[in-house]
């Protein structure tokens, strides 16, 4: 507890209105720097509201979006997959995820990815939150969905090898965080958000099962 006089205690600040934020930078030029099968690197020449000019580079993502699924075979456990991550040249533990195909909504995409990667479908799929990753450099958004009331259903996917599916207790997140193979920030955030949502439901909200 602080011993500072009450008059010296910091006062909470009200949120800024949109009119108080700086004006968004003006895009002076936009150039394609590099393109591959998966990535498009774009260069932006920007002029900020104070007159400063900078060049930024970014990875543009799929306009269709992507989904990540917190799939629960029962009220206490979640399905994780072990897959090869080329960025680390090693296998990692993460949540099932994938791109939204043209013509799909996020619920349909989430159920399809769950069937392809875990061998289960879900009778109930609920959007939880939208996450980004490294927004200074990437235009990429991930929709996190909670899938419950699972049933066996396998669809062929595009993975180069069968994925290993593991079941972990949702309340044992500290043990997961201590593992060297579980470190994807989006998966960690998704599990904490799902856990807190379910705790709230069980403490007084409507039950999901």
């Amino acid at each position: 507890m602080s011993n500072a006089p009450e008059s010296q205690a910091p006062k909470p600040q009200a949120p800024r209105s949109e009119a108080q934020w700086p004006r968004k930078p003006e895009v002076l030029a936009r150039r394609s720097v590099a393109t591959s099968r998966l990535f498009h690197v774009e260069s932006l020449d920007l002029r900020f509201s104070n007159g400063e000019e900078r060049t930024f580079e970014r990875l543009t993502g799929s306009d269709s979006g992507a989904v990540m699924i917190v799939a629960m075979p029962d009220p206490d456990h979640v399905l994780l997959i072990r897959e090869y991550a080329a960025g680390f040249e090693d296998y990692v533990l993460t949540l099932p995820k994938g791109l939204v195909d043209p013509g799909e909504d996020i619920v349909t995409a989430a159920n399809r990815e769950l069937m392809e990667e875990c061998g289960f479908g879900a009778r109930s799929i609920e959007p939880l939150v939208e996450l980004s990753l490294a927004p200074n450099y990437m235009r990429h958004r991930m929709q996190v969905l909670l899938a419950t009331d699972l049933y066996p259903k396998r669809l062929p996917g595009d993975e180069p090898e069968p994925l290993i599916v593991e079941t972990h207790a949702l309340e044992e997140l500290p043990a997961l965080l201590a593992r060297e193979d579980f470190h994807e920030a989006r998966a960690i955030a998704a599990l904490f958000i799902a856990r807190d949502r379910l705790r709230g439901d069980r403490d007084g909200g409507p039950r999901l099962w």
Side-chain angles (χ1 to χ4, degrees):
M1 180 180 295
S2 172
N3 294 321
E6 193 170 316
S7 60
Q8 297 180 12
K11 297 180 180 180
Q13 296 183 352
R16 292 189 180 189
S17 67
E18 290 188 12
Q20 293 176 298
W21 291 108
R23 187 176 69 254
K24 287 202 301 185
E26 177 187 359
V27 180
L28 302 177
R30 189 190 306 266
R31 297 179 300 277
S32 178
V33 176
T35 302
S36 73
R37 181 176 61 88
L38 295 176
F39 302 108
H40 176 214
V41 182
E42 189 176 61
S43 175
L44 300 176
D45 293 339
L46 303 175
R47 178 183 294 133
F48 288 81
S49 58
N50 61 359
E52 289 290 323
E53 295 185 6
R54 295 288 190 277
T55 298
F56 282 59
E57 290 186 355
R58 67 173 185 170
L59 284 173
T60 60
S62 168
D63 291 330
S64 299
V67 292
M68 175 174 276
I69 307 101
V70 180
M72 303 190 65
D74 61 61
D76 300 311
H77 294 84
V78 63
L79 300 180
L80 298 177
I81 59 170
R82 183 177 300 279
E83 65 178 352
Y84 184 74
F88 283 84
E89 298 185 42
D90 204 352
Y91 286 88
V92 299
L93 198 62
T94 186
L95 289 170
K97 58 186 179 295
L99 296 176
V100 178
D101 286 345
E104 285 185 325
D105 57 43
I106 61 172
V107 171
T108 302
N111 211 19
R112 173 183 53 76
E113 289 290 345
L114 186 59
M115 294 176 185
E116 291 176 0
E117 297 193 356
C118 295
F120 287 94
R123 297 184 180 90
S124 176
I125 299 181
E126 176 187 3
L128 284 181
V129 70
E130 180 182 80
L131 300 176
S132 67
L133 181 66
N136 282 23
Y137 304 102
M138 297 175 61
R139 191 187 72 188
H140 181 76
R141 297 176 185 270
M142 178 76 76
Q143 305 293 332
V144 178
L145 299 99
L146 178 66
T148 57
D149 195 5
L150 306 187
Y151 58 92
K153 175 70 174 180
R154 170 73 64 180
L155 288 179
D158 57 0
E159 290 76 23
E161 61 183 358
L163 300 178
I164 297 174
V165 181
E166 300 183 7
T167 303
H168 291 265
L170 191 56
E171 290 293 338
E172 295 180 0
L173 288 181
L176 273 175
L177 291 174
R179 297 175 55 136
E180 293 184 354
D181 59 352
F182 182 71
H183 46 71
E184 184 179 357
R186 295 174 302 180
I188 294 170
L191 288 178
F192 273 104
I193 292 167
R195 185 197 66 177
D196 289 351
R197 170 64 180 273
L198 293 171
R199 281 179 175 177
D201 288 341
R202 292 165 181 167
D203 290 343
R207 294 186 64 86
L208 296 178
W209 293 276

